[in-house]
């Protein structure tokens, strides 16, 4: 089996590449330009928004991101090329009470397109990534105070490599269609996350708990209103539960889910 990884330079796609390489499996990375790739991974140059821009020759599985144009055309091309399985990076938002928001809507559209394609599929619905702590990078470069949104909401964030390992298992273990809800091993508030990051970086960091009004203003300044509204609903109004911890990573991979301490210790250079 040869897997094509879309989003190969991102947190999730990059983690799948690492997991494939660690398992000694061949893979291809969809990239727009030359970039460093793990051993055993070959580049495929193209744009996910344009399925005509790249070849699927020799590809038997695709790790696919949601939210791109012409997904139906890509899936038709995949079926015609002999692709066997799609592993789709979906979202915890689809387990929530409101599926009409902007984030849930585009993930749901992607899941429905894959289901209609006739290809075998696995949907991954992870919680927020541990790598999302990088959103504090500019603040950390400016000083030792980190303004945190939704300071009292614990989230069981997930290590991207656990997503990668589950994806590799989905490609290699066979079986039928499946949906996996993925969490980290423990739920931590943003204040607790900052403390873990401080320890890993050897810095004395202070978390400033933002009010709901401050959070609202920051979100709507940082992203389009429909997405800001969705995020505010997820964590401010509790329309999505990212606090509950499950054991899916361990059940699928046979290994315990990685901790935020591990992620922070592995990635100190990304905060410099």
């Amino acid at each position: 089996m040869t897997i094509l990884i879309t989003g190969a330079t991102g947190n999730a796609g990059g983690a799948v590449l690492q997991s494939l390489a660690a398992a000694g499996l061949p893979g291809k990375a969809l990239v727009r330009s030359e970039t460093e790739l793990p051993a055993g991974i070959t580049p495929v140059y193209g744009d996910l928004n344009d399925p005509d821009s790249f070849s699927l020759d020799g590809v038997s599985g695709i790790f696919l991101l949601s939210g791109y144009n012409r997904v139906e055309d890509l899936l038709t091309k995949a079926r015609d090329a002999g692709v066997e399985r799609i592993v789709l990076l979906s979202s915890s938002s689809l387990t929530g009470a409101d599926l009409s928001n902007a984030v849930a809507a585009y993930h749901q559209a992607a899941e429905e397109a894959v289901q209609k394609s006739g290809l075998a599929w696995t949907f991954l619905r992870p919680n927020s990534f541990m790598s999302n702590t990088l959103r504090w990078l500019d603040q950390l470069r400016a000083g030792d105070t980190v303004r945190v949104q939704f300071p009292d909401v614990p989230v069981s964030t997930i290590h991207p490599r656990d997503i990668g390992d589950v994806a590799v298992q989905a490609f290699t273990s066979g079986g039928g269609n499946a949906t996996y809800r993925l969490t980290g091993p423990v739920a931590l508030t943003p204040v607790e996350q900052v403390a873990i990051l401080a320890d890993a970086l050897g810095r004395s960091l202070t978390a400033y708990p933002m009010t709901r009004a401050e959070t609202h203003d920051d979100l709507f300044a940082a992203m389009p209103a429909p997405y800001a509204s969705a995020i505010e609903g997820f964590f401010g109004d509790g329309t999505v539960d990212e606090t509950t911890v499950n054991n899916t990573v361990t059940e699928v991979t046979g290994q315990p889910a990685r901790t935020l301490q591990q992620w922070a210790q592995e990635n100190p250079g990304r905060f410099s």
Side-chain angles (χ1 to χ4, degrees):
M1 174 169 281
T2 298
I3 311 304
L4 175 69
I5 309 302
T6 69
T9 58
N11 287 308
V16 179
L17 289 183
Q18 292 172 356
S19 294
L20 277 174
L25 298 173
K28 298 184 177 185
L30 181 64
V31 293
R32 295 184 182 183
S33 59
E34 288 189 20
T35 188
E36 185 175 351
L37 296 171
I41 306 298
T42 58
V44 173
Y45 297 104
D47 183 345
L48 185 55
N49 280 311
D50 180 9
D52 298 327
S53 68
F54 56 92
S55 170
L56 294 176
D57 290 347
V59 172
S60 49
I62 300 175
F63 178 77
L64 182 63
L65 303 187
S66 300
Y68 283 79
N69 298 331
R70 298 181 59 195
V71 64
E72 292 86 358
D73 293 343
L74 172 61
L75 293 168
T76 297
K77 179 176 180 176
R79 187 176 60 246
D80 293 345
V83 171
E84 300 169 8
R85 179 174 293 274
I86 304 293
V87 175
L88 178 72
L89 182 64
S90 187
S91 166
S92 66
S93 64
L94 291 186
T95 66
D98 173 22
L99 299 185
S100 66
N101 67 76
V103 175
Y106 80 81
H107 286 290
Q108 186 173 42
E111 287 196 6
E112 290 176 353
V114 172
Q115 287 175 320
K116 292 176 182 176
S117 71
L119 297 166
W121 52 263
T122 303
F123 297 153
L124 308 184
R125 295 178 175 176
N127 278 1
S128 302
F129 296 2
M130 292 176 182
S131 51
N132 287 359
T133 53
L134 290 166
R135 68 187 181 278
W136 298 324
L137 178 57
D138 288 344
Q139 296 187 66
L140 291 169
R141 286 173 172 168
D144 292 329
T145 298
V146 181
R147 292 163 54 90
V148 297
Q149 301 169 349
F150 312 112
D152 299 323
V153 180
V155 174
S156 51
T157 57
I158 186 165
H159 195 301
R161 271 299 301 275
D162 286 331
I163 299 172
D165 290 349
V166 171
V168 169
Q169 284 296 314
F171 283 120
T172 59
S173 62
N177 301 332
T179 300
Y180 292 130
R181 180 76 169 85
L182 303 176
T183 82
V186 62
L188 300 166
T189 67
V191 175
E192 292 170 324
Q193 293 176 39
V194 169
I196 289 171
L197 193 58
D199 185 62
L201 298 178
R203 292 178 59 179
S204 179
L205 302 178
T206 300
Y208 168 79
M210 296 172 66
T211 66
R212 179 67 181 265
E214 290 172 326
T215 295
H216 174 91
D217 290 345
D218 266 24
L219 286 172
F220 280 79
M223 65 186 73
Y227 294 96
S229 179
I231 298 300
E232 192 169 32
F234 294 161
F235 300 106
D237 302 327
T239 60
V240 171
D241 173 18
E242 287 207 354
T243 298
T244 300
V245 173
N246 68 34
N247 202 38
T248 305
V249 168
T250 300
E251 292 171 351
V252 174
T253 69
Q255 301 295 325
R258 295 170 174 89
T259 65
L260 181 60
Q261 285 88 343
Q262 287 175 272
W263 187 88
Q265 290 163 6
E266 292 162 1
N267 292 280
R270 298 181 71 177
F271 290 92
S272 59

